[in-house]
Amino acid sequence: ALSFASTRRNESTNSEGGNFAMASLSYYQGGEWTNFPYSSEPRKPRIKVTHASNELVKFTLSDTDVSMANAIRRIILAEVPSMAIELVEMEENDTVLFDEFIAHRMGLIPLSSHGVGDIPPDDGMALSKDCCQSECPQCTRLFTLDVSNEEDKVLTVTHFDLQDDTKETRQFERTDWPTWKRVRPCPFRDPTLEDRVDQRENGIII
């Protein structure tokens, strides 16, 4: 998560020829107007980590402009290896949603990727084209989604409904991996909350 302590201050001209300052995103979020003289001084961005855990890192980026924040965002998206749902096979879909819509939504679900195998020679996951050209535990992780609505009301299906501990999915389980390294949908279950509350508060709607 990015919170901007300062961003570039823009000067614009209105229809009457006068100048006015445009507020940055951080200003509307309770921040300050930007006064960084990026045109005359080199940018020396500073990062202050405000929260760090095994699943989430929050930091504040300051003494720079939006272009630096955007560069960090693009690097995170492009260079951090991650797992994603790529192939979705539909057996039965009686919902009002098209198969393609559900498949797209499932592809956006974040997966834990601790053992993605980006630094050789670790024993992480491999691309199927570089592995067996088919499906095996070294390149494939299988999830199933089997939900039915027996009541006359809307049923919300979230990533918590994805199953990875069935007879069909266990054939792709890496038995040599510890639990923390398994590929699982994120965020994980919160043991301090009831399932119904956790589903409502933290579940990613499919």
Side-chain angles (χ1 to χ4, degrees):
L2 297 177
S3 58
F4 303 105
S6 63
T7 54
R8 174 179 174 180
R9 181 175 181 176
N10 297 312
E11 296 291 337
S12 301
T13 303
N14 59 20
S15 59
E16 298 179 356
N19 293 329
F20 64 94
M22 295 179 63
S24 64
L25 176 62
S26 62
Y27 176 75
Y28 288 113
Q29 298 296 326
E32 300 178 352
W33 290 89
T34 301
N35 56 5
F36 181 73
Y38 67 93
S39 60
S40 59
E41 296 181 13
R43 289 174 296 184
K44 297 180 180 180
R46 295 186 302 172
I47 294 180
K48 179 181 179 181
V49 177
T50 57
H51 174 81
S53 67
N54 292 333
E55 300 178 17
L56 178 66
V57 175
K58 294 182 179 180
F59 60 89
T60 299
L61 177 65
S62 60
D63 291 347
T64 187
D65 56 14
V66 177
S67 65
M68 180 63 68
N70 187 53
I72 294 177
R73 179 188 67 84
R74 293 176 65 91
I75 290 173
I76 291 174
L77 289 174
E79 300 298 334
V80 177
S82 60
M83 299 285 290
I85 296 177
E86 185 178 52
L87 176 63
V88 178
E89 296 182 359
M90 297 284 186
E91 294 184 2
E92 184 178 358
N93 177 21
D94 294 332
T95 69
V96 298
L97 304 177
F98 294 111
D99 293 353
E100 294 81 4
F101 180 86
I102 296 177
H104 175 68
R105 291 287 300 173
M106 295 182 69
L108 297 176
I109 295 176
L111 303 177
S112 60
S113 305
H114 298 293
V116 71
D118 59 312
I119 305 177
D122 71 6
D123 59 344
M125 304 293 290
L127 293 175
S128 59
K129 66 181 182 65
D130 300 329
C131 186
C132 60
Q133 301 290 332
S134 180
E135 295 177 347
C136 73
Q138 306 298 325
C139 63
T140 303
R141 188 71 179 95
L142 181 65
F143 302 93
T144 60
L145 180 64
D146 186 7
V147 180
S148 60
N149 188 4
E150 306 296 340
E151 301 180 4
D152 189 20
K153 62 180 182 180
V154 176
L155 175 65
T156 301
V157 180
T158 72
H159 77 289
F160 288 135
D161 294 306
L162 290 174
Q163 303 174 22
D164 64 346
D165 193 24
T166 65
K167 181 180 179 180
E168 185 179 11
T169 61
R170 277 195 291 269
Q171 61 180 317
F172 297 102
E173 187 68 57
R174 295 285 295 268
T175 57
D176 58 322
W177 276 7
T179 302
W180 65 267
K181 205 173 183 181
R182 290 172 50 197
V183 179
R184 294 177 294 168
C186 299
F188 304 144
R189 285 281 189 182
D190 188 342
T192 63
L193 298 176
E194 297 180 358
D195 288 349
R196 178 176 54 84
V197 177
D198 197 13
Q199 184 107 343
R200 184 182 68 248
E201 299 293 333
N202 302 317
I204 299 177
I205 298 176
I206 299 177

